Amino acid sequence: MAKLSVKQREEKREKLVAKYAKKYAELKSTSNDAKLSDEERYAARLQLQQLPRNANPTRLRNRCALTGRARGTFRMFGLARNKIRELAFKGDIPGVVKASW
């Protein structure tokens, strides 16, 4: 179980990424546009650097919705591997059954 502060930090990052997503995308496309002059592209990169560090989408981490565990998280379920296993054995996840052959 992850600490509460870690979960809250991740939520704060998600809010910042959502807040600056449009501006980040515009600046990123401007800085990568080869048709623009070097000065314009450089200015866009400087503006990108002025954004908050946590506004960068690469700082987000996939975490388990129940425990906050960062590793072994399945994107399809949004849960960590051990929680998927527990819920699958209980029959709480539709369509997921224990393999047997």
Side-chain angles (χ1 to χ4, degrees), residues 3-33:
K3 290 175 19 176
L4 184 62
S5 61
V6 173
K7 292 180 188 178
Q8 290 174 341
R9 186 184 320 144
E10 195 66 28
E11 289 174 10
K12 183 179 177 183
R13 285 181 182 156
E14 289 173 3
K15 289 177 187 175
L16 267 176
V17 167
K19 179 179 177 182
Y20 288 100
K22 186 177 178 184
K23 187 172 185 177
Y24 185 86
E26 289 173 0
L27 290 173
K28 195 74 171 167
S29 65
T30 302
S31 67
N32 290 334
D33 191 1

Side-chain angles (χ1 to χ4, degrees), residues 15 62 101:
K15 289 177 187 175
N62 290 334
W101 59 88

Side-chain angles (χ1 to χ4, degrees), residues 89 96-101:
F89 286 164
V96 178
V97 293
K98 184 172 186 257
S100 61
W101 59 88

